[in-house]
């Protein structure tokens, strides 16, 4: 079971949180802080597993994370999940966010914090197609892409919801973004990220 | 209206959307909180508007704020509004918000039930999907119970997208509503073979999750999973299955043997590291479960270890970490194969990654042996020296101590070495583990008698250098060591070479800066030392004055401690000060006092094992639960509540007056006290057992001559005390040489002695190293006749415990559909049988249920012609059944048909399949073949290991004869399965149709009772569902309950049952409101509009809907007239029909079962606010507990206390009225004295109780 998925940036600011077990808001924030504290002091070239923090889980739980660009993607899982499998899954999710930010709005060319904050709801919808109630729902890339696409199309046919993301574009253009890797090595699945042109 | 919409959309243009909010927050970095609070105010305004788009926008922003840590529970109702929007866009936002912030105690959740049900049955698959996703996050026991049926239906949805979500969410439903597991399981199992890989994966996921917690119930699925494992190509599914096998193998070693080959093949063939790693893990689990027997194991272990070594040597830190993790599992059973990789693991200690270092440390723990302990610890000490961060260093420190002290110091051959290691460790700066070192020092010094002299010398040095430990405030943790040092020096002072200087060291003014508890030990042990010093000095008559000087020393120094702020220190110091003053007086009169002073501290402390007390066997004939004195017949029960528990552990006599009246309570209390006492004694290390030889044998006085104390060079940081290592090695050499000499003497050869020869230590075996000192635990520390009992208790709060349900037992008819009702918390005295739906509570089924017998009888009727065959089959099934229970011996029971009901063939086939699959079939090269073999055991292999017979092949199709084949593409096996399932459904339908008439089935009924005979008189079945109205199309049953959350609401649950052969749809439920009671209608509906029932009824199906009524006064019962209109649709026509009914709101329905504690109850009665009334019932012949159960069940009371034939009961109305009953029974007469703060309500409730009993 996955107990929580946390995405926060290099400063520990939450960008997306998803708990599959109830925690009160203040406790959630405490968990984020503690997790950030654990994760942020680790070098990039050490292993991606951490024996769980004291707040969440206990001895059966592990933190599995990836540091991508300015974001940390942290999964808190118990022993029924395969560690390497979850690492791959995080890659898949990063990949989807990349793809979807692109399809959402052609002006965005890379995943970055801003895309995540401005479209937190959209990212949630993507995540919902991958993990449900703490269990992995789907690992087939095409299937996930198809379903999210169809739902977005439905939303568009209803008139859409979010207006004027264009304003966000200018904000992005003014940001200094770190160099993005062109190619994510997704362990066993081996996906090449579609070629995204740099700014 | 149109204007409103236009206005709304104009409003929207000015609203902030999520992006604006985010941007705003980013632009207000300095006053973020202030900005957000204005935003929240705006959101509140937006939520007040009618436009759903505005609301959805607001809710979307709230979801973002929730992420930032703001509590948004106040908007829960608005979230529900957005959830119920008809537009997918908004619905999705609503469900997202709900999934982020709803939880079990969110009260609006109960309002969502119908909305969710509607969404689940929506024609749009994404509405359903979004509802399922949301539900998976906030499902509550209530929702799970109410929606279980709907979700189960979705498991067979045409769209795989819905199927996989429905399958996955079932796990959550099981957790919240364990009763649903058995009825839903067959369908879940079916989904393992779903054509869609996503659904299959979801089913595997759910079953793996279930099986992980209660593996034994899922063993019978092993063949199926085996098939999946050998055929699936989805790595994710494979990993799950392989992990599941890892959990199953410990229960069934034969499974392990079968698994090794395919797993080994996978290990060789797969390129996916994740899969490889899980395979290795499971092979390890298999090897552990087999641990002995098979000869080929070493090859598998070698393979695993080899693969793991590759992982550990990989440059990828993740693989390295996992490799070490798996290695530690092998270590437990096959330490030898891991030990050969010691080099690699020690290398990992140097890794830059802390996680990896910690893993390597864990491994080292298991790798030590007598031979390499010193070497490993030496390496670790080097790391301690190098370690930077304190956390890692502390971890190293605890690991060193763990490694050395594991299994009762098993690997320590030289305790001098260990003590010196501990002393070295005290030089660590800023460690938090001072107390750990201290307890080790104490433990070793107390338990290893031979080491005491050495330990005391070391401790004396420590005390002498105490200033080095306490110099820095940062080092506070380590000064705990002084606690141990002072105690050891005091207690074993006879070993001190220079007690006087130690005494002096202990009385230095600096000591006063130590923590209080340490000072206290210092003072006490200074007194012990003083006694020793005196004895030594008086031994030499010339030194009278010296003795007096010693007393003077104490008199000079102790006042410092008398002034201590710590009470303990103060008290001990002033006691001892006075004592010393008195001694000094005697000394001045030339009286010999040493002997008497020493007597103060006479007696040796014996170590006692922590569990020793628990293991003392209870002598025969002693009943610890029996009263020593008869309990007084009368007492004031009010006192009981106030009495502090556990304080009066040994003072039974004192508590005599406050003893509670009832033995039930007494026993609980006693048990509690026993627990407390046990815990106390177990935790008290100084709890001394009586020993005949407890007198200390005094040694002759030790001279005072000055012996130079070994100075440890403190400037050298953490030097591993080599001298002891050397000494130990020399000792070993000597031992060995001695042995050799003995051997060689025979051969007249020259033995080498006393010289170090490294080459020799190589072949030396474990047994050759004899420890220098023994740790005496088992012999002395345990009481005689100690009972070997180590009972570990499972966590009673584990939600998975409720899911420990036997799934192989066939479903009883009653179980084939999900129980629908029970929407109140379980009551104390609730009836186990609830006949309203013909549903049995699950535990009931563990007994031989009569219903099963009924099943069998029906079968028999149907197949009278095949009577012979059938009997044979049953017999054989019986044998298997018993075998399945664990015995390998075939049981031949001649009249098994009479003894127990044989389960239907499907499940037994599975059980036998498993046995057959495990025991008989050789592992075939083609997995498909294996599957086939396991599916259809043919008559040509009649005798399995256990001598089972074989099912006649025609028995299965026989059962499924009246169903038509459905999916021609699927395999033969699957077809069968589907047929079975179909038939089950058919049966289910039939049952549903007749389930209200079950009790008329004479034979079945009788056997139910027979089955229960050995039980205490069972409670009769009870139901609160009363017939509301009925015609030839439809039947309505209803139950009325007060709403816990809202004092003015009553919930009416109505079960609609379609009695005709046509489809019933468009049901509309309407009630004529009265002034007092109104049906709650959705916003915008007129006061006379009916409510649409949110479902349609196919023929023979029943479903439940709830309606909420608001009620003002609850004092009087009420009747409301109502009408149900519906359309009956047949193939060619449809007709409008209606059914009138009268809803009867009894006063009972306003009561809510509320537990009440006896003390609160007594206070309530004493308060005098309640008015009384009473009732007498004549000729009630039912047992008292039935009577109570009836009152509890039908009238929503709970029992507060019951003594013999008298019980007090309590309930509360939805508006907070207390209702108290005192029920007494004698000679078929029941008298009920009642009190309530509302006499009108009480009168009506009593009338209703009377009515209940007059009806039965």
């Amino acid at each position: 079971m996955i107990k929580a998925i946390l995405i926060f940036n290099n400063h520990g600011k939450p960008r997306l949180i998803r708990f599959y077990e109830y925690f009160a808001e203040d406790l959630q924030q405490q968990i984020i802080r503690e997790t950030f504290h654990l994760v942020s002091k680790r070098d990039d070239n050490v292993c991606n597993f951490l024996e769980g923090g004291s707040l969440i889980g206990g001895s059966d739980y592990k933190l599995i994370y990836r540091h991508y660009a300015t974001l940390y993607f942290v999964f808190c899982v118990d022993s029924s999940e395969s560690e390497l499998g979850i690492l791959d899954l995080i890659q898949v999710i990063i990949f989807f966010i990349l793809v979807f930010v692109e399809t959402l709005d052609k002006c965005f060319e890379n995943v970055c914090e801003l895309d995540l904050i401005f479209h937190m709801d959209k990212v949630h919808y993507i995540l919902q197609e991958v993990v449900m109630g703490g269990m992995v729902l789907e690992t087939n890339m095409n299937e996930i892409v198809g379903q999210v696409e169809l739902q977005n199309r439905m939303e568009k046919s209803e008139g859409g919801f979010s207006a004027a993301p264009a304003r966000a574009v200018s904000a992005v253009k003014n940001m200094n973004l770190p160099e993005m890797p062109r190619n994510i090595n997704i362990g066993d699945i081996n996906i090449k990220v579609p070629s995204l042109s740099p700014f | 209206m149109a204007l409103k919409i236009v206005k709304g959309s104009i409003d929207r243009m000015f609203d902030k959307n999520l992006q604006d909010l985010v941007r705003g927050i980013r632009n207000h970095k300095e006053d973020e909180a202030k900005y957000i609070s204005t935003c929240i105010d705006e959101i509140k305004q937006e939520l007040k508007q009618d436009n759903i788009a505005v609301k959805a926008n607001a809710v979307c922003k709230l979801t973002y704020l929730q992420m930032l840590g703001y509590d948004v529970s106040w908007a829960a109702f608005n979230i529900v509004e957005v959830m119920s929007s008809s537009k997918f866009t908004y619905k999705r936002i609503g469900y997202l918000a709900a999934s982020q912030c709803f939880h079990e105690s969110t009260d609006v959740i109960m309002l969502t039930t119908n909305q969710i049900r509607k969404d689940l049955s929506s024609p749009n698959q994404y509405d359903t999907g979004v509802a399922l996703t949301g539900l998976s996050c906030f499902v509550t026991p209530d929702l799970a119970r109410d929606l279980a049926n709907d979700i189960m239906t979705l498991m067979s949805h045409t769209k795989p997208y819905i199927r996989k979500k429905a399958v996955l969410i079932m796990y959550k439903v099981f957790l919240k509503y364990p009763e649903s597991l058995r009825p839903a399981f067959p369908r879940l199992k079916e989904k393992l073979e779903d054509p869609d890989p996503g659904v299959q994966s979801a089913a595997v996921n759910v079953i793996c999750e279930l099986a992980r917690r209660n593996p034994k119930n899922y063993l019978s699925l092993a063949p199926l999973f085996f098939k999946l494992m050998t055929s699936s190509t989805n790595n994710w599914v494979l990993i799950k299955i392989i992990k599941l096998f890892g959990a199953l193998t410990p229960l069934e070693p034969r499974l392990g043997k079968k698994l090794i080959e395919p797993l080994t093949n996978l290990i060789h063939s797969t390129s996916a590291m994740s899969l490889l790693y899980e395979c290795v893990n499971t092979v390890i689990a298999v090897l552990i479960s087999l641990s002995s027997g098979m000869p080929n194991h070493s090859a598998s272990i070698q393979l695993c270890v080899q693969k793991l070594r590759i992982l550990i040597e990989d440059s990828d830190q993740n693989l390295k970490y996992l490799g070490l993790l798996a290695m530690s599992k092998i270590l437990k059973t096959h330490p030898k194969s891991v030990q050969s990789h010691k080099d690699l693991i020690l290398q990992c200690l140097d890794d830059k990654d802390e996680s990896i270092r910690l893993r390597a440390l864990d491994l080292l723990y298991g790798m030590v042996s007598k031979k390499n302990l010193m070497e490993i610890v030496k390496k670790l000490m080097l790391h301690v020296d190098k370690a930077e961060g304190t956390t890692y260093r502390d971890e190293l420190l605890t690991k060193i101590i763990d490694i050395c002290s594991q299994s009762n110091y098993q690997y320590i051959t030289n305790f001098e070495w260990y003590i010196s290691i501990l002393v070295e460790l005290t030089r660590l700066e800023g460690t938090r583990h001072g107390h750990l070192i201290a307890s080790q020092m104490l433990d070793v010094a107390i338990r290893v008698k031979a080491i005491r002299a050495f330990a005391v010398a070391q401790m004396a040095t420590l005390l002498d250098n105490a200033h080095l430990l306490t110099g820095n405030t940062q080092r506070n943790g380590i000064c705990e060591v002084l606690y141990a040092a002072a105690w050891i020096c005091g207690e074993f002072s006879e070993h001190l070479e220079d007690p006087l200087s130690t005494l002096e060291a202990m009385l230095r003014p600096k000591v006063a800066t130590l923590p209080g508890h340490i000072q206290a030990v210092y003072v006490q042990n200074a007194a012990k030392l003083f006694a020793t010093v005196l004895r030594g000095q008086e031994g030499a008559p010339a030194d009278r004055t010296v003795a007096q000087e010693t007393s003077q020393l104490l008199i000079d120094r102790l006042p410092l401690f008398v002034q201590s702020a710590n009470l303990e220190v103060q008290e001990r110091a002033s006691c001892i000060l006075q004592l010393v003053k008195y001694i000094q007086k005697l000394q001045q009169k030339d009286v010999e006092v040493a002997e008497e002073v020493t007597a103060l501290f006479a007696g040796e402390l014996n170590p006692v094992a922590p569990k020793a007390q628990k293991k003392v066997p209870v002598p025969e004939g002693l009943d610890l639960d029996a009263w020593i004195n008869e309990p007084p017949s009368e007492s004031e029960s009010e006192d009981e509540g106030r009495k502090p528990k556990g304080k009066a552990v040994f003072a039974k006599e004192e508590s005599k007056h406050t003893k509670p009246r009832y033995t039930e309570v007494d026993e609980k209390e006693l048990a509690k006290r026993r627990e407390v006492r046990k815990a106390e004694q177990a935790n008290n290390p100084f709890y001394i057992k009586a020993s005949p030889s407890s007198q200390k044998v005094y040694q002759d006085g030790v001279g005072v001559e000055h012996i130079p104390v070994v100075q440890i060079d403190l400037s050298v940081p953490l030097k591993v005390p080599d001298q002891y290592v050397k000494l130990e090695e020399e000792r070993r050499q000597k031992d060995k040489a001695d042995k050799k000499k003995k051997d060689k003497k025979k051969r007249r050869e020259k033995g080498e002695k006393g010289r170090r020869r490294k080459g020799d230590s190589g072949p030396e075996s474990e047994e050759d190293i004899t420890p220098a000192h023994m740790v005496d635990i088992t012999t002395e520390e345990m009481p005689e006749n100690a009972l070997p009992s180590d009972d570990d208790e499972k966590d009673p709060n584990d939600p998975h415990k409720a899911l420990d349900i036997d799934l192989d037992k066939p479903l009883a008819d009653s179980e084939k559909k999900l129980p629908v009702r029970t929407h109140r918390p379980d009551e104390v005295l609730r009836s186990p049988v609830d006949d309203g739906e013909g549903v049995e509570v699950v535990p009931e089924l563990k007994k031989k249920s009569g219903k099963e017998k009924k099943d069998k009888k029906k079968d028999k009727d149907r197949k009278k012609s095949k009577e012979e065959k059938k009997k044979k089959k049953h017999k054989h099934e019986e044998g298997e059944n018993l075998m399945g229970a664990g015995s390998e011996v075939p049981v031949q029971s001649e009249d098994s048909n009479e003894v127990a009901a044989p389960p239907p063939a499907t499940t037994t086939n599975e059980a036998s399949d498993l046995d057959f699959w495990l025991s008989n079939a050789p592992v075939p090269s083609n997995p498909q073949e294996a599957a086939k073999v396991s599916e259809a055991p043919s008559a040509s292999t009649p005798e399995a290991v256990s001598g089972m017979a074989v099912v006649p092949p025609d028995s299965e199709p026989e059962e499924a004869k009246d169903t038509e084949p459905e999916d021609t593409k699927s395999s033969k096996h699957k077809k069968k399965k589907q047929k079975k399932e179909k038939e089950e459904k058919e049966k289910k339908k039939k049952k549903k149709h007749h389930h209200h008439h079950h009790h008329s089935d004479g034979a079945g009924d009788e056997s139910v009772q027979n089955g229960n005979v050995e039980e205490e008189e069972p409670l009769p079945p009870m139901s609160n569902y009363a017939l509301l109205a009925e015609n030839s199309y439809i039947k309505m049953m209803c139950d009325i309950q007060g709403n816990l959350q809202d004092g003015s609401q009553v919930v009416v649950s109505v079960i609609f049952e379609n009695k005709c052969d046509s489809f019933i749809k468009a049901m509309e439920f309407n009630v004529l409101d009265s002034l007092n009671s109104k049906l709650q209608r959705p916003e915008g509906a007129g006061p006379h509009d009916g409510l649409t029932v949110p479902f349609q009824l196919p023929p023979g199906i029943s479903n439940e809907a709830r309606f909420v009524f608001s009620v003002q006064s609850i004092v009087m019962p009420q009747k409301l007239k109502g009408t149900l209109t519906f359309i009956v649709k047949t193939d060619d026509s449809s007709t409008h029909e209606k059914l009138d009914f009268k809803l009867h709101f009894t006063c009972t329905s306003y009561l809510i079962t509320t537990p009440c504690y006896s003390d609160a109850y007594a206070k309530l009665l004493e308060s005098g606010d309640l008015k009384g009334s009473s009732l007498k019932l004549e000729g009630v012949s039912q047992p008292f507990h039935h009577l109570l159960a009836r009152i509890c069940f039908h009238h929503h009371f709970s029992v507060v206390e019951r003594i013999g034939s008298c019980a007090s009961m309590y309930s509360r109305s939805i508006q907070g009225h207390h209702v108290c009953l005192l029920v007494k029974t004698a000679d078929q007469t029941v008298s009920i004295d009642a009190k309530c703060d509302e006499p009108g309500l009480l009168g009506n409730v009593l009338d209703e109780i009377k009515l209940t009993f007059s009806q039965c």
Side-chain angles (χ1 to χ4, degrees), chain A residues 18 48 51 118 147 158, chain B residues 19 89 100 126 318 321 359:
Chain A
R18 166 46 94 216
N48 296 108
E51 250 95 313
F118 286 122
Q147 298 297 351
E158 286 181 349
Chain B
Q19 282 77 29
T89 312
Q100 287 290 69
Y126 291 112
N318 292 326
Y321 174 87
R359 283 276 138 239

Side-chain angles (χ1 to χ4, degrees), chain B residues 968-982:
Chain B
T968 41
K969 272 178 281 178
S970 58
S971 73
K972 203 178 157 192
H973 175 66
K974 215 165 81 196
K975 249 192 252 168
K976 269 186 201 167
K977 280 225 146 185
Q978 278 171 344
K979 276 182 195 168
K980 268 182 249 160
E981 184 65 26
K982 251 202 160 173

Side-chain angles (χ1 to χ4, degrees), chain B residues 33 66 236 241 352 369 398 447 527 581 622 650 903 965 994 1048:
Chain B
Q66 195 270 346
W236 195 269
I241 293 174
K352 57 190 176 301
S369 62
T398 42
R447 290 169 63 186
K581 278 182 182 164
L622 174 65
F650 294 108
H994 295 294
S1048 60

Side-chain angles (χ1 to χ4, degrees), chain B residues 513-546:
Chain B
T513 58
L514 290 172
H517 65 284
I518 300 177
Q519 285 186 54
V521 170
Y522 263 71
V523 172
Q524 186 74 15
N525 286 288
K528 290 183 200 167
L529 271 179
F530 175 60
T532 316
V533 172
L534 273 188
R535 217 148 44 84
Q537 288 167 344
E538 282 181 0
D543 284 343
R544 282 281 148 75
T545 48
V546 184

Side-chain angles (χ1 to χ4, degrees), chain B residues 216-234:
Chain B
K216 65 176 188 310
N217 300 335
Y218 299 86
L219 257 182
S220 62
L221 291 180
L224 190 55
F225 276 117
F226 191 83
K227 199 177 114 196
L228 278 177
M229 180 176 86
T230 44
S231 59
S232 176
T233 50
N234 180 346

Side-chain angles (χ1 to χ4, degrees), chain A residues 1-2 7 9 13-26 28-29 32 41-43 45-51 60-62 65-66 78-89 113-114 116-122 124-126 128-140 143-144 146-152 154-171 175 188, chain B residues 12 17-20 22-23 26 29 32 53 56-58 60 63-64 66-73 86-90 92-96 99-105 124-127 129-130 132-134 136-137 161 164-166 168-169 171-172 175 196-199 201-202 205-206 209 212-213 234-236 239-240 243 271-275 277-278 281 316-319 321-322 325 352-356 359 362 391:
Chain A
M1 289 280 281
I2 299 167
I7 305 180
N9 72 0
K13 285 255 194 295
R15 291 303 176 225
L16 180 141
I17 56 173
R18 166 46 94 216
F19 286 89
Y20 293 102
E21 193 170 286
Y22 174 68
F23 291 98
E25 273 78 11
D26 48 348
Q28 290 187 355
Q29 295 300 314
I32 296 170
K41 64 181 181 199
R42 293 173 66 84
D43 287 340
N45 54 1
V46 300
C47 74
N48 296 108
F49 313 117
L50 266 175
E51 250 95 313
D60 196 34
Y61 284 85
K62 264 202 195 79
Y65 75 97
R66 272 199 191 274
D78 69 10
S79 59
S80 74
E81 300 294 343
S82 148
E83 291 89 346
L84 293 171
I86 293 288
L87 268 182
D88 289 347
L89 195 73
E113 268 188 78
L114 281 182
L116 268 190
I117 353 170
F118 286 122
H119 297 281
M120 184 199 73
D121 47 343
K122 304 278 187 299
H124 264 298
Y125 301 143
I126 298 170
Q128 279 175 2
E129 296 303 321
V130 185
V131 181
M132 183 177 135
M135 284 179 284
V136 177
L137 178 68
E138 185 63 77
T139 47
N140 181 340
E143 173 74 13
I144 303 171
Q147 298 297 351
V148 178
E149 189 87 356
L150 278 171
Q151 292 182 52
N152 287 337
M154 229 176 107
E155 187 175 296
K156 273 199 186 111
S157 72
E158 286 181 349
F161 173 68
S162 55
R167 274 175 286 177
V169 179
S170 54
M175 292 277 296
D188 306 331
Chain B
R12 265 216 70 189
N17 62 16
L18 175 62
Q19 282 77 29
D20 298 323
V22 174
R23 193 170 305 112
R26 292 174 71 85
K29 284 221 167 76
E32 192 182 294
N57 185 38
C60 186
T63 313
Y64 185 82
Q66 195 270 346
M67 177 182 78
L68 298 183
Y70 290 85
D71 176 26
V72 297
S73 55
S86 56
K87 272 196 175 181
F88 172 73
T89 312
Y90 304 140
R92 181 151 89 152
I93 292 168
Y95 272 105
L96 174 63
S99 67
Q100 287 290 69
C101 64
F102 281 12
H103 51 95
E104 279 196 14
S105 50
N124 179 349
Q125 64 162 328
Y126 291 112
D127 282 353
V130 131
L132 284 173
T133 307
S136 71
C137 291
Y161 178 72
K164 71 181 178 195
K165 288 198 167 191
L168 212 53
I169 203 178
Y171 178 66
K172 296 276 176 167
L175 276 186
D196 184 84
V199 182
S201 156
N205 234 327
V206 171
E209 208 52 58
R212 201 163 69 91
R213 311 295 181 147
N234 180 346
N235 277 355
W236 195 269
I239 287 174
K240 282 278 171 194
K243 266 184 170 281
S271 62
M273 272 301 182
S274 47
L275 186 58
Y277 174 68
E278 296 306 338
N281 252 333
D316 185 342
Q317 297 285 322
N318 292 326
L319 297 183
Y321 174 87
L322 294 176
L325 198 66
K352 57 190 176 301
D353 188 347
E354 195 174 298
S355 309
I356 287 174
R359 283 276 138 239
D362 271 355
T391 23

